[in-house]
């Protein structure tokens, strides 16, 4: 999913006609708390002391509230979803398709707990420097096209992102089409997720 670049939450909400009421409703709740509103990765993000607490994103089927350290929430109402059990460590989300689908009172409970958890320093630490094995199919294509030396110039984390992107595809033809997409990026020295980084 490509998220267009925006400079403000208002701009993000107005990008599409879909789910504007839901986004505005949630935004009003978030900004009535002590959370600080900003834009990160081109989506509305709500922080405490510059630490990410909540992200807000519009999807085709509704709106997702991302709790960055949602794994620590008590989830008394069984609303939290883990998008990817194998990869997602800390983040959990609540999905909405309409205003008041989850009551404001319940949402405020989740938000208040997320804020308190962040203040208490409860967070999953991301493993830095972890080496993910480069998939054989990617390694072969990089060497065949004489760009492996360019791939090696990327930081370990960026190499990991490319490797995970390829190994995440189940079928070989999908892996090959993804490789076709990333080869020009590797040639230009552009990381897979550079456009989302500020």
């Amino acid at each position: 999913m490509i998220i267009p670049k925006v400079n403000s939450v208002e701009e993000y909400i107005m990008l599409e006609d879909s789910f504007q009421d839901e986004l505005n409703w949630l935004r009003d709740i978030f900004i009535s708390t002590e959370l600080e509103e900003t834009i990160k990765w081109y989506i509305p993000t709500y922080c405490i002391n510059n630490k990410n607490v909540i992200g807000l994103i519009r999807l085709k089927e509704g709106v997702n509230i991302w709790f960055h350290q949602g794994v620590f929430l008590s989830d008394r109402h069984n609303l939290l979803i883990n998008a990817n059990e194998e990869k997602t460590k800390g983040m959990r989300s609540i999905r909405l398709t309409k205003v008041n689908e989850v009551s404001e009172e319940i949402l405020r409970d989740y938000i208040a707990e997320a804020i308190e958890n962040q203040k208490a320093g409860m967070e999953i630490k991301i493993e830095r420097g972890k080496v993910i094995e480069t998939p054989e199919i990617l390694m072969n294509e990089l060497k065949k096209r004489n760009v492996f030396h360019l791939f090696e110039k990327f930081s370990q984390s960026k190499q990991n992102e490319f490797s995970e992107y390829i190994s995440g595809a189940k079928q070989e033809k999908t892996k090959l089409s993804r490789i076709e997409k990333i080869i020009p990026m590797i040639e230009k020295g552009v990381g897979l997720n550079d456009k989302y980084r500020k």
Side-chain angles (χ1 to χ4, degrees):
M1 177 180 55
I2 296 171
I3 303 170
K5 184 173 183 178
V6 295
N7 299 306
S8 70
V9 176
E10 293 86 354
E11 198 179 329
Y12 179 83
I13 291 170
M14 298 304 290
L15 271 175
E16 297 177 25
D17 292 335
S18 62
F19 302 110
Q20 286 185 357
D21 289 344
E22 290 71 23
L23 290 167
N24 277 313
W25 176 63
L26 291 168
R27 181 191 188 205
D28 286 346
I29 294 171
F30 298 150
I31 62 177
S32 72
T33 70
E34 58 189 299
L35 292 168
E36 305 142 11
E37 182 179 74
T38 187
I39 290 282
K40 291 187 181 182
W41 311 287
Y42 312 133
I43 66 165
T45 305
Y46 299 85
C47 309
I48 287 285
N49 301 323
N50 295 318
K51 294 280 192 177
N52 303 330
V53 179
I54 295 171
L56 185 57
I57 187 165
R58 172 199 284 117
L59 301 171
K60 284 181 184 175
E61 66 278 6
V63 175
N64 259 20
I65 305 165
W66 285 346
F67 291 93
H68 285 269
Q69 302 297 331
V71 69
F72 297 112
L73 294 172
S74 53
D75 195 19
R76 288 184 290 274
H77 302 280
N78 295 313
L79 296 174
L80 296 177
I81 300 163
N82 183 347
N84 188 330
E85 295 285 346
E86 292 177 16
K87 292 184 182 177
T88 306
K89 305 294 184 208
M91 190 177 291
R92 298 293 182 270
S93 66
I94 295 177
R95 293 181 186 159
L96 301 175
T97 57
K98 58 181 184 285
V99 171
N100 285 319
E101 184 173 350
V102 175
S103 77
E104 181 173 334
E105 182 183 0
I106 288 173
L107 283 177
R108 285 187 180 277
D109 283 346
Y110 279 84
I111 295 163
E113 187 181 358
I115 290 170
E116 290 312 307
N117 288 350
Q118 185 58 67
K119 285 180 176 179
M122 295 170 70
E123 57 183 81
I124 297 281
K125 299 292 183 192
I126 297 169
E127 262 186 82
R128 301 289 179 192
K130 180 182 171 189
V131 177
I132 293 174
E133 191 174 339
T134 306
E136 190 177 346
I137 190 169
L138 175 58
M139 183 83 77
N140 291 342
E141 288 296 317
L142 292 171
K143 288 180 176 175
K144 189 165 82 177
R145 298 168 194 233
N146 199 28
V147 292
F148 183 67
H149 66 288
L150 298 175
F151 180 76
E152 287 186 303
K153 289 182 180 178
F154 285 101
S155 66
Q156 187 60 59
S157 63
K158 290 187 180 185
Q159 287 183 31
N160 289 348
E161 287 172 357
F162 282 122
S163 295
E164 286 184 325
Y165 179 61
I166 301 307
S167 60
K170 290 183 172 61
Q171 297 182 359
E172 185 171 338
K173 66 177 183 180
T174 309
K175 290 181 181 185
L176 288 169
S177 72
R178 288 184 178 188
I179 288 169
E180 289 301 325
K181 177 184 171 184
I182 67 171
I183 292 290
M185 299 174 76
I186 291 168
E187 289 173 336
K188 292 175 186 169
V190 176
L192 184 66
N193 296 316
D194 284 1
K195 63 184 171 186
Y196 301 119
R197 295 186 173 98
K198 285 196 164 185

